[in-house]
Amino acid sequence: MIRTEKLSKVFRAEEIETTALNQIDLDIKEGEFVSIMGPSGCGKSTLMNVLGLLDNPTTGKYHFLDEEVSGYSEQQRADFRKQNIGFVFQSFNLIDELTVYENVELPLLYLGVPGAERKERVTAMLERMGVGHRHSHYPQQLSGGQQQRVAVSRALITNPKIVLADEPTGNLDSQHGDEVMNLLKDLNQQGTTIVMVTHSPAYAAYGNRTVNLFDGKVADETLNGNFHV
């Protein structure tokens, strides 16, 4: 599904160059759950931004579904993201002024999905995620775990090819963190491809493979033994 070849990202500010990613070679198969780990500043978030087409690499190639996307314009990246990628963030990134229902509906509005279909899909997704009874509540009225379930619902509502989760348990206590990880694991077993950044070895083990980054490079990879196709 995803293949990068010698992917590098260099940030330049005045006379200073910082190499955030250094010749990354990475393959992610459809149906995998890949965990990405490494110390702060090793390039994890930069890699997720490039994989999520929020940013272009400086050099190297990035193939998504056999399409070379590394040189896409900002508009091309935005169109491709809307059709193919779902995002889950550490800070939930829900809109406080919108209800649970409206937060999850928003990506479908951007895609021009008709109203009746939006209602059917959003209602079904919220029920699937166990937050259907909270559809008219606002994010501040929910627990952290419930907010992340809403965020996952929003990520999945467009039926993306892949979900990118950047520290999805980072703002949660252990109980709610476990809930979200079990939810991601269930989604993966149902066929959703997931790439997740985490600082937790215990949560990384939910994936079938862990990629360790260090100084912008892939230091090593570990198979965790559970690959669902």
Side-chain angles (χ1 to χ4, degrees), residues 101 105 108-123 157:
Y101 181 97
E105 181 189 33
L108 299 181
L109 286 170
Y110 290 148
L111 291 175
V113 176
E117 183 182 346
R118 291 202 308 272
K119 182 176 182 180
E120 181 180 339
R121 287 171 64 173
V122 173
T123 300
I157 196 65

mmCIF file with all atom_site columns, all heavy atoms in Angstrom, residues 101 105 108-123 157:
data_model
loop_
_atom_site.group_PDB
_atom_site.id
_atom_site.type_symbol
_atom_site.label_atom_id
_atom_site.label_alt_id
_atom_site.label_comp_id
_atom_site.label_asym_id
_atom_site.label_entity_id
_atom_site.label_seq_id
_atom_site.pdbx_PDB_ins_code
_atom_site.Cartn_x
_atom_site.Cartn_y
_atom_site.Cartn_z
_atom_site.occupancy
_atom_site.B_iso_or_equiv
_atom_site.pdbx_formal_charge
_atom_site.auth_seq_id
_atom_site.auth_comp_id
_atom_site.auth_asym_id
_atom_site.auth_atom_id
_atom_site.pdbx_PDB_model_num
ATOM 1   N N   . TYR A 1 101 ? -22.207 14.539 16.515 1.00 0.00 ? 101 TYR A N   1
ATOM 2   C CA  . TYR A 1 101 ? -22.732 14.202 15.193 1.00 0.00 ? 101 TYR A CA  1
ATOM 3   C C   . TYR A 1 101 ? -22.118 15.109 14.122 1.00 0.00 ? 101 TYR A C   1
ATOM 4   O O   . TYR A 1 101 ? -21.653 14.637 13.077 1.00 0.00 ? 101 TYR A O   1
ATOM 5   C CB  . TYR A 1 101 ? -24.253 14.334 15.185 1.00 0.00 ? 101 TYR A CB  1
ATOM 6   C CG  . TYR A 1 101 ? -24.913 13.977 13.870 1.00 0.00 ? 101 TYR A CG  1
ATOM 7   C CD1 . TYR A 1 101 ? -25.447 12.708 13.668 1.00 0.00 ? 101 TYR A CD1 1
ATOM 8   C CD2 . TYR A 1 101 ? -24.993 14.909 12.838 1.00 0.00 ? 101 TYR A CD2 1
ATOM 9   C CE1 . TYR A 1 101 ? -26.049 12.380 12.460 1.00 0.00 ? 101 TYR A CE1 1
ATOM 10  C CE2 . TYR A 1 101 ? -25.583 14.588 11.635 1.00 0.00 ? 101 TYR A CE2 1
ATOM 11  C CZ  . TYR A 1 101 ? -26.110 13.316 11.450 1.00 0.00 ? 101 TYR A CZ  1
ATOM 12  O OH  . TYR A 1 101 ? -26.688 12.995 10.240 1.00 0.00 ? 101 TYR A OH  1
ATOM 13  N N   . GLU A 1 105 ? -19.767 14.270 10.900 1.00 0.00 ? 105 GLU A N   1
ATOM 14  C CA  . GLU A 1 105 ? -20.377 14.549 9.596  1.00 0.00 ? 105 GLU A CA  1
ATOM 15  C C   . GLU A 1 105 ? -19.491 15.414 8.710  1.00 0.00 ? 105 GLU A C   1
ATOM 16  O O   . GLU A 1 105 ? -19.562 15.353 7.470  1.00 0.00 ? 105 GLU A O   1
ATOM 17  C CB  . GLU A 1 105 ? -21.726 15.230 9.810  1.00 0.00 ? 105 GLU A CB  1
ATOM 18  C CG  . GLU A 1 105 ? -22.481 15.554 8.532  1.00 0.00 ? 105 GLU A CG  1
ATOM 19  C CD  . GLU A 1 105 ? -23.707 16.411 8.798  1.00 0.00 ? 105 GLU A CD  1
ATOM 20  O OE1 . GLU A 1 105 ? -23.674 17.243 9.727  1.00 0.00 ? 105 GLU A OE1 1
ATOM 21  O OE2 . GLU A 1 105 ? -24.692 16.247 8.064  1.00 0.00 ? 105 GLU A OE2 1
ATOM 22  N N   . LEU A 1 108 ? -17.743 14.358 5.429  1.00 0.00 ? 108 LEU A N   1
ATOM 23  C CA  . LEU A 1 108 ? -18.689 14.010 4.371  1.00 0.00 ? 108 LEU A CA  1
ATOM 24  C C   . LEU A 1 108 ? -19.240 15.266 3.700  1.00 0.00 ? 108 LEU A C   1
ATOM 25  O O   . LEU A 1 108 ? -19.527 15.251 2.490  1.00 0.00 ? 108 LEU A O   1
ATOM 26  C CB  . LEU A 1 108 ? -19.840 13.169 4.942  1.00 0.00 ? 108 LEU A CB  1
ATOM 27  C CG  . LEU A 1 108 ? -19.442 11.837 5.575  1.00 0.00 ? 108 LEU A CG  1
ATOM 28  C CD1 . LEU A 1 108 ? -20.674 11.091 6.079  1.00 0.00 ? 108 LEU A CD1 1
ATOM 29  C CD2 . LEU A 1 108 ? -18.671 10.969 4.581  1.00 0.00 ? 108 LEU A CD2 1
ATOM 30  N N   . LEU A 1 109 ? -19.392 16.346 4.457  1.00 0.00 ? 109 LEU A N   1
ATOM 31  C CA  . LEU A 1 109 ? -19.795 17.623 3.865  1.00 0.00 ? 109 LEU A CA  1
ATOM 32  C C   . LEU A 1 109 ? -18.745 18.098 2.869  1.00 0.00 ? 109 LEU A C   1
ATOM 33  O O   . LEU A 1 109 ? -19.076 18.568 1.770  1.00 0.00 ? 109 LEU A O   1
ATOM 34  C CB  . LEU A 1 109 ? -19.993 18.674 4.963  1.00 0.00 ? 109 LEU A CB  1
ATOM 35  C CG  . LEU A 1 109 ? -21.254 18.550 5.823  1.00 0.00 ? 109 LEU A CG  1
ATOM 36  C CD1 . LEU A 1 109 ? -21.181 19.497 7.015  1.00 0.00 ? 109 LEU A CD1 1
ATOM 37  C CD2 . LEU A 1 109 ? -22.492 18.862 4.989  1.00 0.00 ? 109 LEU A CD2 1
ATOM 38  N N   . TYR A 1 110 ? -17.472 17.977 3.254  1.00 0.00 ? 110 TYR A N   1
ATOM 39  C CA  . TYR A 1 110 ? -16.391 18.385 2.358  1.00 0.00 ? 110 TYR A CA  1
ATOM 40  C C   . TYR A 1 110 ? -16.401 17.581 1.059  1.00 0.00 ? 110 TYR A C   1
ATOM 41  O O   . TYR A 1 110 ? -16.018 18.088 0.002  1.00 0.00 ? 110 TYR A O   1
ATOM 42  C CB  . TYR A 1 110 ? -15.031 18.216 3.044  1.00 0.00 ? 110 TYR A CB  1
ATOM 43  C CG  . TYR A 1 110 ? -14.769 19.193 4.167  1.00 0.00 ? 110 TYR A CG  1
ATOM 44  C CD1 . TYR A 1 110 ? -13.990 18.822 5.258  1.00 0.00 ? 110 TYR A CD1 1
ATOM 45  C CD2 . TYR A 1 110 ? -15.284 20.487 4.147  1.00 0.00 ? 110 TYR A CD2 1
ATOM 46  C CE1 . TYR A 1 110 ? -13.742 19.709 6.302  1.00 0.00 ? 110 TYR A CE1 1
ATOM 47  C CE2 . TYR A 1 110 ? -15.041 21.371 5.179  1.00 0.00 ? 110 TYR A CE2 1
ATOM 48  C CZ  . TYR A 1 110 ? -14.269 20.983 6.252  1.00 0.00 ? 110 TYR A CZ  1
ATOM 49  O OH  . TYR A 1 110 ? -14.028 21.867 7.273  1.00 0.00 ? 110 TYR A OH  1
ATOM 50  N N   . LEU A 1 111 ? -16.827 16.322 1.152  1.00 0.00 ? 111 LEU A N   1
ATOM 51  C CA  . LEU A 1 111 ? -16.855 15.458 -0.033 1.00 0.00 ? 111 LEU A CA  1
ATOM 52  C C   . LEU A 1 111 ? -18.154 15.589 -0.825 1.00 0.00 ? 111 LEU A C   1
ATOM 53  O O   . LEU A 1 111 ? -18.313 14.941 -1.865 1.00 0.00 ? 111 LEU A O   1
ATOM 54  C CB  . LEU A 1 111 ? -16.651 13.992 0.381  1.00 0.00 ? 111 LEU A CB  1
ATOM 55  C CG  . LEU A 1 111 ? -15.255 13.625 0.900  1.00 0.00 ? 111 LEU A CG  1
ATOM 56  C CD1 . LEU A 1 111 ? -15.238 12.178 1.394  1.00 0.00 ? 111 LEU A CD1 1
ATOM 57  C CD2 . LEU A 1 111 ? -14.201 13.819 -0.182 1.00 0.00 ? 111 LEU A CD2 1
ATOM 58  N N   . GLY A 1 112 ? -19.098 16.406 -0.332 1.00 0.00 ? 112 GLY A N   1
ATOM 59  C CA  . GLY A 1 112 ? -20.343 16.606 -1.061 1.00 0.00 ? 112 GLY A CA  1
ATOM 60  C C   . GLY A 1 112 ? -21.299 15.437 -0.998 1.00 0.00 ? 112 GLY A C   1
ATOM 61  O O   . GLY A 1 112 ? -22.140 15.261 -1.900 1.00 0.00 ? 112 GLY A O   1
ATOM 62  N N   . VAL A 1 113 ? -21.226 14.626 0.056  1.00 0.00 ? 113 VAL A N   1
ATOM 63  C CA  . VAL A 1 113 ? -22.126 13.482 0.205  1.00 0.00 ? 113 VAL A CA  1
ATOM 64  C C   . VAL A 1 113 ? -23.547 13.993 0.513  1.00 0.00 ? 113 VAL A C   1
ATOM 65  O O   . VAL A 1 113 ? -23.709 14.865 1.373  1.00 0.00 ? 113 VAL A O   1
ATOM 66  C CB  . VAL A 1 113 ? -21.628 12.546 1.330  1.00 0.00 ? 113 VAL A CB  1
ATOM 67  C CG1 . VAL A 1 113 ? -22.609 11.404 1.573  1.00 0.00 ? 113 VAL A CG1 1
ATOM 68  C CG2 . VAL A 1 113 ? -20.248 11.995 0.975  1.00 0.00 ? 113 VAL A CG2 1
ATOM 69  N N   . PRO A 1 114 ? -24.569 13.472 -0.154 1.00 0.00 ? 114 PRO A N   1
ATOM 70  C CA  . PRO A 1 114 ? -25.945 13.938 0.079  1.00 0.00 ? 114 PRO A CA  1
ATOM 71  C C   . PRO A 1 114 ? -26.392 13.750 1.531  1.00 0.00 ? 114 PRO A C   1
ATOM 72  O O   . PRO A 1 114 ? -25.915 12.859 2.238  1.00 0.00 ? 114 PRO A O   1
ATOM 73  C CB  . PRO A 1 114 ? -26.785 13.056 -0.870 1.00 0.00 ? 114 PRO A CB  1
ATOM 74  C CG  . PRO A 1 114 ? -25.818 12.601 -1.924 1.00 0.00 ? 114 PRO A CG  1
ATOM 75  C CD  . PRO A 1 114 ? -24.494 12.468 -1.231 1.00 0.00 ? 114 PRO A CD  1
ATOM 76  N N   . GLY A 1 115 ? -27.345 14.592 1.965  1.00 0.00 ? 115 GLY A N   1
ATOM 77  C CA  . GLY A 1 115 ? -27.769 14.629 3.356  1.00 0.00 ? 115 GLY A CA  1
ATOM 78  C C   . GLY A 1 115 ? -28.270 13.311 3.905  1.00 0.00 ? 115 GLY A C   1
ATOM 79  O O   . GLY A 1 115 ? -27.920 12.909 5.027  1.00 0.00 ? 115 GLY A O   1
ATOM 80  N N   . ALA A 1 116 ? -29.112 12.611 3.147  1.00 0.00 ? 116 ALA A N   1
ATOM 81  C CA  . ALA A 1 116 ? -29.677 11.356 3.639  1.00 0.00 ? 116 ALA A CA  1
ATOM 82  C C   . ALA A 1 116 ? -28.584 10.314 3.858  1.00 0.00 ? 116 ALA A C   1
ATOM 83  O O   . ALA A 1 116 ? -28.594 9.586  4.857  1.00 0.00 ? 116 ALA A O   1
ATOM 84  C CB  . ALA A 1 116 ? -30.723 10.831 2.656  1.00 0.00 ? 116 ALA A CB  1
ATOM 85  N N   . GLU A 1 117 ? -27.637 10.274 2.934  1.00 0.00 ? 117 GLU A N   1
ATOM 86  C CA  . GLU A 1 117 ? -26.530 9.319  3.075  1.00 0.00 ? 117 GLU A CA  1
ATOM 87  C C   . GLU A 1 117 ? -25.630 9.707  4.242  1.00 0.00 ? 117 GLU A C   1
ATOM 88  O O   . GLU A 1 117 ? -25.150 8.837  4.990  1.00 0.00 ? 117 GLU A O   1
ATOM 89  C CB  . GLU A 1 117 ? -25.715 9.246  1.785  1.00 0.00 ? 117 GLU A CB  1
ATOM 90  C CG  . GLU A 1 117 ? -24.583 8.211  1.852  1.00 0.00 ? 117 GLU A CG  1
ATOM 91  C CD  . GLU A 1 117 ? -23.737 8.163  0.592  1.00 0.00 ? 117 GLU A CD  1
ATOM 92  O OE1 . GLU A 1 117 ? -24.168 8.722  -0.440 1.00 0.00 ? 117 GLU A OE1 1
ATOM 93  O OE2 . GLU A 1 117 ? -22.645 7.567  0.647  1.00 0.00 ? 117 GLU A OE2 1
ATOM 94  N N   . ARG A 1 118 ? -25.403 11.017 4.422  1.00 0.00 ? 118 ARG A N   1
ATOM 95  C CA  . ARG A 1 118 ? -24.596 11.469 5.564  1.00 0.00 ? 118 ARG A CA  1
ATOM 96  C C   . ARG A 1 118 ? -25.218 11.001 6.868  1.00 0.00 ? 118 ARG A C   1
ATOM 97  O O   . ARG A 1 118 ? -24.520 10.469 7.750  1.00 0.00 ? 118 ARG A O   1
ATOM 98  C CB  . ARG A 1 118 ? -24.469 12.994 5.572  1.00 0.00 ? 118 ARG A CB  1
ATOM 99  C CG  . ARG A 1 118 ? -23.637 13.596 4.474  1.00 0.00 ? 118 ARG A CG  1
ATOM 100 C CD  . ARG A 1 118 ? -23.135 14.978 4.839  1.00 0.00 ? 118 ARG A CD  1
ATOM 101 N NE  . ARG A 1 118 ? -24.173 15.889 5.285  1.00 0.00 ? 118 ARG A NE  1
ATOM 102 C CZ  . ARG A 1 118 ? -24.904 16.670 4.490  1.00 0.00 ? 118 ARG A CZ  1
ATOM 103 N NH1 . ARG A 1 118 ? -24.731 16.637 3.178  1.00 0.00 ? 118 ARG A NH1 1
ATOM 104 N NH2 . ARG A 1 118 ? -25.809 17.497 5.005  1.00 0.00 ? 118 ARG A NH2 1
ATOM 105 N N   . LYS A 1 119 ? -26.517 11.204 7.014  1.00 0.00 ? 119 LYS A N   1
ATOM 106 C CA  . LYS A 1 119 ? -27.204 10.831 8.253  1.00 0.00 ? 119 LYS A CA  1
ATOM 107 C C   . LYS A 1 119 ? -27.082 9.336  8.516  1.00 0.00 ? 119 LYS A C   1
ATOM 108 O O   . LYS A 1 119 ? -26.783 8.908  9.642  1.00 0.00 ? 119 LYS A O   1
ATOM 109 C CB  . LYS A 1 119 ? -28.677 11.224 8.165  1.00 0.00 ? 119 LYS A CB  1
ATOM 110 C CG  . LYS A 1 119 ? -29.454 10.917 9.441  1.00 0.00 ? 119 LYS A CG  1
ATOM 111 C CD  . LYS A 1 119 ? -30.897 11.411 9.357  1.00 0.00 ? 119 LYS A CD  1
ATOM 112 C CE  . LYS A 1 119 ? -31.632 11.129 10.659 1.00 0.00 ? 119 LYS A CE  1
ATOM 113 N NZ  . LYS A 1 119 ? -33.041 11.607 10.599 1.00 0.00 ? 119 LYS A NZ  1
ATOM 114 N N   . GLU A 1 120 ? -27.263 8.543  7.483  1.00 0.00 ? 120 GLU A N   1
ATOM 115 C CA  . GLU A 1 120 ? -27.188 7.088  7.638  1.00 0.00 ? 120 GLU A CA  1
ATOM 116 C C   . GLU A 1 120 ? -25.788 6.651  8.043  1.00 0.00 ? 120 GLU A C   1
ATOM 117 O O   . GLU A 1 120 ? -25.614 5.843  8.966  1.00 0.00 ? 120 GLU A O   1
ATOM 118 C CB  . GLU A 1 120 ? -27.592 6.426  6.310  1.00 0.00 ? 120 GLU A CB  1
ATOM 119 C CG  . GLU A 1 120 ? -27.577 4.905  6.348  1.00 0.00 ? 120 GLU A CG  1
ATOM 120 C CD  . GLU A 1 120 ? -27.994 4.299  5.012  1.00 0.00 ? 120 GLU A CD  1
ATOM 121 O OE1 . GLU A 1 120 ? -28.649 5.001  4.211  1.00 0.00 ? 120 GLU A OE1 1
ATOM 122 O OE2 . GLU A 1 120 ? -27.654 3.130  4.770  1.00 0.00 ? 120 GLU A OE2 1
ATOM 123 N N   . ARG A 1 121 ? -24.772 7.215  7.386  1.00 0.00 ? 121 ARG A N   1
ATOM 124 C CA  . ARG A 1 121 ? -23.395 6.805  7.659  1.00 0.00 ? 121 ARG A CA  1
ATOM 125 C C   . ARG A 1 121 ? -22.922 7.268  9.029  1.00 0.00 ? 121 ARG A C   1
ATOM 126 O O   . ARG A 1 121 ? -22.258 6.512  9.759  1.00 0.00 ? 121 ARG A O   1
ATOM 127 C CB  . ARG A 1 121 ? -22.471 7.320  6.549  1.00 0.00 ? 121 ARG A CB  1
ATOM 128 C CG  . ARG A 1 121 ? -22.648 6.552  5.244  1.00 0.00 ? 121 ARG A CG  1
ATOM 129 C CD  . ARG A 1 121 ? -21.919 7.182  4.082  1.00 0.00 ? 121 ARG A CD  1
ATOM 130 N NE  . ARG A 1 121 ? -20.474 7.184  4.239  1.00 0.00 ? 121 ARG A NE  1
ATOM 131 C CZ  . ARG A 1 121 ? -19.632 7.566  3.269  1.00 0.00 ? 121 ARG A CZ  1
ATOM 132 N NH1 . ARG A 1 121 ? -20.110 7.960  2.100  1.00 0.00 ? 121 ARG A NH1 1
ATOM 133 N NH2 . ARG A 1 121 ? -18.327 7.540  3.468  1.00 0.00 ? 121 ARG A NH2 1
ATOM 134 N N   . VAL A 1 122 ? -23.247 8.513  9.391  1.00 0.00 ? 122 VAL A N   1
ATOM 135 C CA  . VAL A 1 122 ? -22.803 9.036  10.684 1.00 0.00 ? 122 VAL A CA  1
ATOM 136 C C   . VAL A 1 122 ? -23.479 8.281  11.822 1.00 0.00 ? 122 VAL A C   1
ATOM 137 O O   . VAL A 1 122 ? -22.821 7.888  12.802 1.00 0.00 ? 122 VAL A O   1
ATOM 138 C CB  . VAL A 1 122 ? -23.091 10.548 10.792 1.00 0.00 ? 122 VAL A CB  1
ATOM 139 C CG1 . VAL A 1 122 ? -22.790 11.047 12.210 1.00 0.00 ? 122 VAL A CG1 1
ATOM 140 C CG2 . VAL A 1 122 ? -22.250 11.317 9.778  1.00 0.00 ? 122 VAL A CG2 1
ATOM 141 N N   . THR A 1 123 ? -24.780 8.045  11.710 1.00 0.00 ? 123 THR A N   1
ATOM 142 C CA  . THR A 1 123 ? -25.505 7.326  12.757 1.00 0.00 ? 123 THR A CA  1
ATOM 143 C C   . THR A 1 123 ? -24.934 5.922  12.948 1.00 0.00 ? 123 THR A C   1
ATOM 144 O O   . THR A 1 123 ? -24.694 5.471  14.079 1.00 0.00 ? 123 THR A O   1
ATOM 145 C CB  . THR A 1 123 ? -27.007 7.247  12.409 1.00 0.00 ? 123 THR A CB  1
ATOM 146 O OG1 . THR A 1 123 ? -27.530 8.572  12.297 1.00 0.00 ? 123 THR A OG1 1
ATOM 147 C CG2 . THR A 1 123 ? -27.767 6.501  13.491 1.00 0.00 ? 123 THR A CG2 1
ATOM 148 N N   . ILE A 1 157 ? -15.088 7.801  8.794  1.00 0.00 ? 157 ILE A N   1
ATOM 149 C CA  . ILE A 1 157 ? -16.378 8.037  8.156  1.00 0.00 ? 157 ILE A CA  1
ATOM 150 C C   . ILE A 1 157 ? -16.284 8.082  6.630  1.00 0.00 ? 157 ILE A C   1
ATOM 151 O O   . ILE A 1 157 ? -17.254 7.792  5.920  1.00 0.00 ? 157 ILE A O   1
ATOM 152 C CB  . ILE A 1 157 ? -17.025 9.336  8.698  1.00 0.00 ? 157 ILE A CB  1
ATOM 153 C CG1 . ILE A 1 157 ? -18.523 9.379  8.351  1.00 0.00 ? 157 ILE A CG1 1
ATOM 154 C CG2 . ILE A 1 157 ? -16.298 10.569 8.196  1.00 0.00 ? 157 ILE A CG2 1
ATOM 155 C CD1 . ILE A 1 157 ? -19.340 8.320  9.019  1.00 0.00 ? 157 ILE A CD1 1
#
